[in-house]
Amino acid sequence: SDDGIHHRVWIVSDEQDISMLEEDFNQVPCTYIADGHHRAASAVKVALKRREEHPDYHGDEEFNYFLSVLFPDDELAILDYNRVVKDLNELTDEAFLRKVGEKFEIKSLPTKDKPKKKGEITMYLDEVWYKLKVKKDVLKAKAASPVDSLDVAILQDELLAPILGIGDPRT
């Protein structure tokens, strides 16, 4: 690629190599979809639909697969997911913080910081850094859905949309 990164792809067709890879992957307890969870969910829906349309399927049809790539966690850097908000939707700083406090525990920070764990968001408002910690009842309500329980979804669903009126964060 333009930034000097090179990728190599190999076709693995030797049965012994395939068995070794299968054994190695059976040792991986779980995988995490860092990006593309919507595409993965869509691929599953398409596969299920095609299986209904073709009840005699064997499992090796193209609709049963989708392209993915896996990276070890020690070779992966998850970058910040930042949002810049231009105004507080006609709220004063105090009124905004009060509304945010309904869904998040708010703590002012002495200096700039980054979230350390799930359920934490940092915010900069009027020259003050804050740590927002999602309240337990909000986390509990979101827990059933892997997508809705993501911090980015909670930020959108509990702060950006209802308090700031930002329905589409891309605009």
Side-chain angles (χ1 to χ4, degrees):
S1 63
D2 292 342
D3 60 0
I5 302 296
H6 298 273
H7 297 277
R8 291 192 181 125
V9 177
W10 293 272
I11 295 174
V12 180
S13 56
D14 179 77
E15 291 299 323
Q16 189 173 356
D17 290 340
I18 292 170
S19 290
M20 180 193 68
L21 288 169
E22 287 176 342
E23 286 177 32
D24 287 346
F25 273 102
N26 283 333
Q27 302 304 310
V28 177
C30 62
T31 58
Y32 175 76
I33 301 176
D35 185 29
H37 56 276
H38 291 104
R39 285 183 292 277
S42 295
V44 169
K45 287 180 183 176
V46 168
L48 293 173
K49 182 175 187 244
R50 296 289 185 263
R51 287 177 180 186
E52 279 184 21
E53 295 169 353
H54 304 281
D56 58 339
Y57 75 93
H58 299 96
D60 58 354
E61 297 84 359
E62 286 186 13
F63 59 74
N64 289 299
Y65 300 92
F66 68 94
L67 184 63
S68 66
V69 62
L70 299 175
F71 297 98
D73 62 349
D74 62 349
E75 294 181 21
L76 179 67
I78 298 180
L79 303 176
D80 296 347
Y81 187 83
N82 299 309
R83 290 287 181 253
V84 176
V85 176
K86 294 181 181 180
D87 67 65
L88 297 180
N89 198 22
E90 300 183 8
L91 296 169
T92 65
D93 290 0
E94 295 78 24
F96 171 73
L97 288 171
R98 211 170 22 257
K99 285 187 171 283
V100 170
E102 294 172 9
K103 303 289 179 151
F104 300 86
E105 297 171 17
I106 304 171
K107 178 183 173 188
S108 62
L109 299 170
T111 60
K112 177 181 177 181
D113 200 2
K114 291 185 177 192
K116 303 278 190 290
K117 57 186 174 182
K118 182 170 176 47
E120 288 183 357
I121 297 167
T122 52
M123 176 179 74
Y124 187 67
L125 174 66
D126 197 25
E127 300 184 21
V128 178
W129 282 97
Y130 296 90
K131 179 191 291 186
L132 308 180
K133 186 176 175 186
V134 183
K135 289 188 174 180
K136 290 182 179 168
D137 61 322
V138 174
L139 286 175
K140 187 176 179 181
K142 301 283 189 173
S145 168
V147 174
D148 291 343
S149 66
L150 293 171
D151 289 346
V152 65
I154 292 171
L155 175 66
Q156 177 62 39
D157 296 344
E158 305 298 332
L159 195 156
L160 296 179
I163 299 173
L164 298 175
I166 300 172
D168 183 350
R170 295 169 294 193
T171 59

